[in-house]
Amino acid sequence: MNKLIPLTTNPSQTPVLLIDTSAAYADIQEYAEQRLCAAKALLFSLSCMGINRADAKDVNGIADAAYLLLEDASDLFNAARKAAEREGVQNA
């Protein structure tokens, strides 16, 4: 089994961003949480924008960034779950 898996959001046939599935559960989990928190912060900012002050281009950029961060977090949480099973981590 290849220990490097591509992120879902890789835009081409040759993936550049990869998850090292042999990494420790805690490290993978930390990276997943970092992306989740960043996406939450972006979406919170979006929710605070006044609709009359929001530019469509800005809203689209925030939505795209939040999507990428959430997709990466999802991939990382899946890898963390597998790492937890491998390491015998309980309640992961």
Side-chain angles (χ1 to χ4, degrees):
M1 182 177 121
N2 190 355
K3 70 176 194 167
L4 300 176
I5 57 170
L7 291 171
T8 302
T9 56
N10 278 305
S12 70
Q13 296 298 324
T14 306
V16 174
L17 297 176
L18 305 164
I19 299 171
D20 181 356
T21 59
S22 68
Y25 160 75
D27 292 338
I28 299 171
Q29 182 77 11
E30 183 178 352
Y31 278 84
E33 289 175 3
Q34 178 188 44
R35 281 156 177 74
L36 180 62
C37 289
K40 285 174 51 179
L42 276 173
L43 293 174
F44 178 77
S45 295
L46 183 62
S47 72
C48 293
M49 279 186 189
I51 194 68
N52 56 343
R53 294 179 19 211
D55 183 84
K57 185 173 62 172
D58 294 333
V59 171
N60 191 45
I62 290 172
D64 285 346
Y67 169 77
L68 289 172
L69 288 166
L70 289 171
E71 194 68 44
D72 288 359
S74 178
D75 289 348
L76 285 159
F77 279 124
N78 286 332
R81 181 183 45 78
K82 291 175 184 170
E85 291 170 1
R86 180 186 74 235
E87 295 177 12
V89 176
Q90 297 296 315
N91 299 321

